[in-house]
């Protein structure tokens, strides 16, 4: 683990003393009002983004929540990951089918992934990697808790006649996760990738709570290429029997940043 990190970040990018807190213990992300957002960069496409329909979100009650999975990682791995990510914005940990934990942490200094290293068919240690966030490029925005529009499959609001831009998401099931969010959120998450026209890696995590009158959903999503990353943390309530377009969102906090090529 240490060797893998040090090889990538030797030299000028030194880190502070080790911390071993849960990512959720980091200070909250800065909020940026919509009317104070910087002008769009010229590298972004002038088209409108494809809007996706909500898909199924199956839940396995036997899988530990992200906090429990995070604790299964070695303490030195957790500490090193938090040092490399910086101020945590979106994070989760999960288990592979064999029970080995892995983690994704997006912070103000970088996008970090921690994966098990297998030898002789067994996960014997963990190795982390980080792609740096370009200084000054991070933008965080809180959206109004408006429901998504029914129907899907068309495009986000844009100028008349603008072409609909479609991304290739890997895996394709990410379209169904994106489809649960309001239109302006879907646009925010996809827009930085339009100009590059590359396959976009999609990773996500969610938890569902079931009450007699409604279900609650806590969902995290991260989209990335080698040059850009977007992510969201959101919570919603859906009345029993209602369709996803009638969900009530209680918080929608999105982030986007440019990444420094390796």
């Amino acid at each position: 683990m240490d060797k893998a990190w040090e090889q990538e970040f030797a030299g000028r990018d030194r880190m502070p003393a080790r911390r071993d807190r849960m990512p959720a213990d980091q200070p909250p992300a800065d909020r940026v009002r919509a009317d104070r957002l910087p002008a769009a960069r010229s590298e972004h496409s002038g088209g409108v983004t494809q809007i996706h329909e909500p898909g199924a979100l199956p839940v396995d009650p036997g899988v530990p929540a992200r906090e429990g999975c995070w604790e299964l990682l070695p303490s030195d791995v957790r500490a090193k990951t938090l040092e490399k990510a910086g101020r945590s914005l979106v994070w989760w940990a999960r288990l592979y089918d064999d029970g080995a934990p892995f983690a994704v942490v997006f912070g103000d200094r970088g996008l970090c992934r921690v994966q098990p290293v297998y030898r002789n068919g067994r996960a014997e240690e963990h190795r982390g990697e980080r792609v740096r966030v370009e200084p000054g490029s991070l933008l965080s925005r809180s959206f109004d808790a408006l429901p998504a529009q029914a129907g899907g499959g068309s495009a986000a609001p844009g100028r008349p006649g603008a072409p609909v831009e479609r991304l290739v998401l890997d895996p394709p099931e990410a379209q169904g996760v994106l489809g649960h969010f309001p239109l302006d959120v879907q646009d925010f998450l996809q827009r930085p990738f339009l100009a590059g026209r590359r396959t976009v890696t999609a990773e996500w995590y969610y938890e569902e709570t079931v009450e007699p009158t409604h279900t609650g959903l806590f969902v995290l999503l991260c989209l990335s290429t080698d040059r850009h990353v977007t992510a969201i943390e959101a919570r919603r309530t859906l009345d029993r029997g209602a369709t996803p377009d009638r969900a009530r969102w209680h918080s929608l906090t999105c982030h986007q940043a440019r990444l420094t090529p390796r």
Side-chain angles (χ1 to χ4, degrees), residues 3-63:
K3 182 178 180 180
W5 284 118
E6 291 171 1
Q7 182 177 0
E8 185 177 357
F9 306 113
R12 61 180 178 83
D13 193 18
R14 295 302 181 190
M15 297 297 172
R18 283 189 171 184
R19 295 170 292 146
D20 197 12
R21 299 183 294 173
M22 295 293 291
D25 293 335
Q26 303 290 334
D30 296 333
R31 301 295 192 263
V32 179
R33 290 176 48 189
D35 58 0
R36 296 179 60 188
L37 295 178
R41 289 171 55 89
S42 59
E43 66 186 26
H44 288 179
S45 168
V48 293
T49 51
Q50 180 184 11
I51 294 303
H52 303 283
E53 297 184 6
L57 298 177
V59 177
D60 184 352
V63 176

Side-chain angles (χ1 to χ4, degrees), residues 1 5 73 77 81 101-104 112-116 126-128:
M1 175 67 184
W5 284 118
L73 291 166
V77 171
T81 302
F102 67 96
V104 176
C112 295
R113 295 182 178 92
V114 177
Q115 298 283 350
H126 283 78
R127 179 174 295 129

